Amino acid sequence: MAANTRRVLNVGGASKAIPIPAYYAGWRHDLLDIDAGVQPDVLCDAREMTRLAAGGYDAVYCSHNLEHYYRHEVPRVLAGFRHVLRDDGFVDIRVPDIATVMQHAVTRGLDLEDVLYQSAGGPITVRDVIYGWGSEIERSGSDYYAHRTGFTEKSLRQALQGAFPCVYTARNEPLYEIMALAFKTPPSPHYRQLFQLPD
């Protein structure tokens, strides 16, 4: 592998078979997980990432994992993300959009057990988004999959701004998720163009 290959750390991704965004094509993809059974490249609790080597990654990708920590633990997890990033690195985060879920549940008259949307893994209920994917928690027998906090776009932005000076957020309503990018330093022209970031 070339010495200048970019590296992305996929935090809590469960499996390298689960696709990550296409813009990471050609990057070295390392999986970090607390579950040794998924054979991660880095076996680690995300709350302990400051114990890892500093500055080894160009990006941290964290999709639907940050909500699995208690609210008071989120700054510690984000500090770990910042720790493993190079100076020009960024975090790429996806979390459930609790505000949109609540709004749609009320306006559509949905109860907790009603299906909110269909995912690649099957139906997702209102309860699944709030408390964690029930069928996966039952199948695995692990409470790793339970949700311990939730985010709105505003609260996710505020959490990220506690650790990163440059934060960008957007809502992806079809998937009931919030997407965020946060940079240790102002994003380079390359990243501004890649992510179509405002000046």
Side-chain angles (χ1 to χ4, degrees), residues 80-151:
F81 290 0
R82 183 180 173 92
H83 172 75
V84 300
L85 284 174
R86 295 181 175 139
D87 287 343
D88 60 349
F90 66 92
V91 296
D92 182 354
I93 293 177
R94 320 289 164 90
V95 295
D97 182 351
I98 295 299
T100 301
V101 169
M102 293 293 94
Q103 180 184 24
H104 286 204
V106 169
T107 59
R108 292 165 50 189
L110 299 178
D111 204 338
L112 283 173
E113 303 303 333
D114 290 334
V115 174
L116 190 63
Y117 68 96
Q118 293 288 334
S119 75
I124 302 298
T125 67
V126 174
R127 182 188 299 278
D128 290 330
V129 177
I130 298 170
Y131 295 107
W133 194 11
S135 61
E136 184 62 21
I137 296 169
E138 182 178 4
R139 182 201 65 75
S140 68
S142 173
D143 64 0
Y144 297 150
Y145 295 101
H147 292 180
R148 293 178 173 87
T149 194
F151 297 94

Side-chain angles (χ1 to χ4, degrees), residues 24-122:
Y24 294 115
W27 291 42
R28 174 175 163 174
H29 174 192
D30 289 346
L31 176 66
L32 179 147
D33 208 283
I34 194 172
D35 183 359
V38 303
Q39 299 181 324
D41 301 293
V42 182
L43 179 63
C44 182
D45 184 324
R47 294 166 292 191
E48 304 297 331
M49 287 175 59
T50 54
R51 296 181 180 182
L52 301 177
Y57 290 91
D58 299 280
V60 170
Y61 178 69
C62 183
S63 180
H64 292 262
N65 182 263
L66 196 60
E67 66 274 13
H68 294 261
Y69 305 97
Y70 290 111
R71 177 66 187 91
H72 69 274
E73 296 173 322
V74 169
R76 185 173 168 187
V77 174
L78 295 178
F81 290 0
R82 183 180 173 92
H83 172 75
V84 300
L85 284 174
R86 295 181 175 139
D87 287 343
D88 60 349
F90 66 92
V91 296
D92 182 354
I93 293 177
R94 320 289 164 90
V95 295
D97 182 351
I98 295 299
T100 301
V101 169
M102 293 293 94
Q103 180 184 24
H104 286 204
V106 169
T107 59
R108 292 165 50 189
L110 299 178
D111 204 338
L112 283 173
E113 303 303 333
D114 290 334
V115 174
L116 190 63
Y117 68 96
Q118 293 288 334
S119 75

Side-chain angles (χ1 to χ4, degrees), residues 1-7 26 28 55-56 58 86:
M1 183 174 296
N4 62 353
T5 299
R6 289 186 173 133
R7 302 176 70 197
R28 174 175 163 174
D58 299 280
R86 295 181 175 139

Side-chain angles (χ1 to χ4, degrees), residues 141-165:
S142 173
D143 64 0
Y144 297 150
Y145 295 101
H147 292 180
R148 293 178 173 87
T149 194
F151 297 94
T152 62
E153 186 175 11
K154 179 181 178 181
S155 68
L156 178 61
R157 187 183 311 113
Q158 288 175 334
L160 287 167
Q161 286 171 338
F164 296 91

